Amino acid sequence: NAGVTQTPKFQVLKTGQSMTLQCAQDMNHEYMSWYRQDPGMGLRLIHYSVGAGITDQGEVPNGYNVSRSTTEDFPLRLLSAAPSQTSVYFCASSLQLTVRTGELFFGEGSRLTVL
Amino acid sequence: AQSVTQPDIHITVSEGASLELRCNYSYGATPYLFWYVQSPGQGLQLLLKYFSGDTLVQGIKGFEAEFKRSQSSFNLRKPSVHWSDAAEYFCVVGGYNNNDMRFGAGTRLTVKP
């Protein structure tokens, strides 16, 4: 029962470096999303996707890119990391966009530190 | 604009004691409401949800929550806390779609032996 798998779990970057956070789900979910979690602020939506080839911006999209070439994978790219992107990142998926079709399943998170 | 407030950042209760975590929301229509739990080093797990109907909702692990429209609240309760309930709890308010969900800042629960 893999569910939602995120890699890496921990990463340290220097300012200006690029990296990709990987997210994969094996539940054939159409909806996938990325959140960041910062102290005292709960989770905020970065980007989301409602199916292969379709992505859209969430609440805090600046500095992040996403793509969805397959149903299973939804990578998050940081093109030029900044200290403000130090956070814990969560990938989540659900059967469809509408909440009534099923719950959100979360990965275990990726802790990113930008020096 | 929709928002959700969890007034208590940190709560400590003794094992076996009752628990109530507060949640207040602001939303233009009848919201969809959720409680999620995040155990240390883990992702978030859905405890319970409210869409419509009976305002007292039962969830997993013995938790329940009550929707009070007049008070714009959705408080989470458990009659007897276990040490394994130590975690962070998030109240979430949203609309029809998953991308509409707004998370509260969370309440961290510590359980004393």
Side-chain angles (χ1 to χ4, degrees):
Chain A
N1 295 345
V4 179
T5 303
Q6 290 182 234
T7 56
K9 291 193 186 310
F10 302 94
Q11 183 73 47
V12 178
L13 288 178
K14 295 181 180 178
T15 297
Q17 287 185 319
S18 63
M19 78 156 299
T20 300
L21 298 176
Q22 302 289 347
C23 176
Q25 53 87 13
D26 61 358
M27 298 173 283
N28 203 30
H29 284 173
E30 292 185 358
Y31 179 81
M32 296 186 73
S33 55
W34 278 101
Y35 290 88
R36 59 177 290 171
Q37 182 183 28
D38 300 296
M41 301 190 71
L43 276 70
R44 291 180 293 168
L45 183 64
I46 303 172
H47 285 286
Y48 67 95
S49 168
V50 297
I54 306 170
T55 64
D56 207 343
Q57 297 181 350
E59 184 183 357
V60 288
N62 292 341
Y64 307 95
N65 283 348
V66 292
S67 60
R68 183 101 179 265
S69 56
T70 67
T71 299
E72 295 79 18
D73 300 299
F74 190 45
L76 179 72
R77 296 183 184 86
L78 287 70
L79 298 180
S80 179
S84 61
Q85 294 178 303
T86 294
S87 188
V88 180
Y89 292 85
F90 286 97
C91 181
S93 73
S94 183
L95 189 61
Q96 293 180 356
L97 176 63
T98 54
V99 299
R100 282 187 174 267
T101 59
E103 68 181 87
L104 268 178
F105 290 87
F106 285 82
E108 293 187 351
S110 299
R111 183 176 293 274
L112 175 66
T113 301
V114 183
L115 303 176
Chain B
Q2 62 197 52
S3 65
V4 55
T5 302
Q6 295 180 244
D8 303 304
I9 296 173
H10 184 207
I11 284 182
T12 299
V13 299
S14 297
E15 191 167 16
S18 63
L19 171 70
E20 183 169 25
L21 302 183
R22 296 182 291 163
C23 173
N24 294 98
Y25 66 88
S26 173
Y27 197 76
T30 300
Y32 292 170
L33 296 160
F34 310 81
W35 276 98
Y36 279 82
V37 60
Q38 183 183 22
S39 298
Q42 301 296 313
L44 281 73
Q45 180 183 22
L46 180 66
L47 278 178
L48 47 80
K49 61 189 176 188
Y50 172 79
F51 289 163
S52 63
D54 192 348
T55 57
L56 185 62
V57 180
Q58 302 297 320
I60 62 172
K61 305 184 181 186
F63 285 91
E64 66 178 25
E66 186 171 11
F67 170 55
K68 293 186 176 180
R69 184 190 305 273
S70 61
Q71 299 177 18
S72 297
S73 69
F74 189 57
N75 294 349
L76 182 71
R77 300 192 295 250
K78 187 170 185 177
S80 177
V81 170
H82 187 262
W83 64 267
S84 60
D85 293 324
E88 186 143 21
Y89 292 80
F90 293 94
C91 181
V92 183
V93 61
Y96 193 68
N97 293 329
N98 280 303
N99 63 313
D100 291 332
M101 296 167 75
R102 293 292 181 269
F103 286 74
T107 297
R108 184 160 63 91
L109 174 66
T110 298
V111 181
K112 293 191 302 184

